[in-house]
Amino acid sequence: MSLMFRIVLSILLVFSIVRFLRYAWPVRSLSYIKAREVRVLAVQSLDMKMLDVRDAVDYEKDSIRGSINISLGRLAFVWQHCLSPDDSVLILAESYYKRNKAARILYKQGFRKLYAVNGDFLGSKKTLSDISVKGCCEGKWI
């Protein structure tokens, strides 16, 4: 192998490791909670909103009543329509990676009260749908 090939391969390897660690590393201000603890959180924080970051098609198929849908790709650009940095935000996503990515986007915008349901949030649909939350865009996708 040539020296140039080894250098390029090493750079790609380091870049891949750094990228993986960045997405796997815990996000500041993001707390994981159980679905049954959400009700207590909603009572304590009157400005809590549930944010579903799945695509609109998935949201339309199956969603939590009262949740706001802003797909992950659009979150950085349209979060101001329904969210404020003063809000407590419960992030609903289908994977650890997507929850962390959404939390990183919101953290950069000044959000400090971020929560995510530990595990499959659709499995807890009945529990989450019974919770009263505020939202200007309830049940709509943006």
Side-chain angles (χ1 to χ4, degrees):
M1 269 197 262
S2 70
L3 180 61
M4 186 63 156
F5 180 74
R6 287 183 182 177
I7 291 172
V8 170
L9 188 61
S10 297
I11 290 171
L12 287 174
L13 182 64
V14 168
F15 178 74
S16 298
I17 291 170
V18 168
R19 186 169 181 184
F20 171 76
L21 289 176
R22 181 172 177 248
Y23 290 114
W25 202 262
V27 180
R28 275 185 266 171
S29 297
L30 177 63
S31 301
Y32 282 92
I33 59 175
K34 295 177 183 171
R36 64 179 177 264
E37 296 170 350
V38 174
R39 184 179 308 280
V40 175
L41 178 67
V43 169
Q44 291 173 351
S45 177
L46 299 176
D47 56 353
M48 186 184 89
K49 296 184 180 172
M50 287 192 279
L51 174 65
D52 191 329
V53 296
R54 296 177 298 152
D55 290 332
V57 174
D58 295 329
Y59 180 78
E60 288 296 320
K61 285 181 189 174
D62 197 15
S63 62
I64 306 293
R65 186 178 52 83
S67 65
I68 301 164
N69 178 244
I70 304 175
S71 63
L72 193 55
R74 301 187 56 184
L75 183 59
F77 306 104
V78 298
W79 63 267
Q80 309 91 321
H81 293 290
C82 291
L83 301 173
S84 165
D86 296 330
D87 295 333
S88 294
V89 179
L90 177 66
I91 300 170
L92 305 173
E94 62 236 356
S95 71
Y96 177 81
Y97 165 78
K98 290 181 179 182
R99 284 187 289 263
N100 273 0
K101 184 164 178 124
R104 285 183 206 291
I105 290 168
L106 294 174
Y107 186 82
K108 285 181 184 177
Q109 301 301 330
F111 289 80
R112 295 300 180 259
K113 296 180 277 184
L114 300 171
Y115 303 91
V117 175
N118 202 3
D120 177 29
F121 73 91
L122 287 175
S124 306
K125 183 176 179 178
K126 183 175 179 351
T127 304
L128 295 175
S129 291
D130 290 342
I131 297 170
S132 176
V133 294
K134 290 172 46 176
C136 69
C137 306
E138 278 183 23
K140 298 181 182 176
W141 53 272
I142 296 177

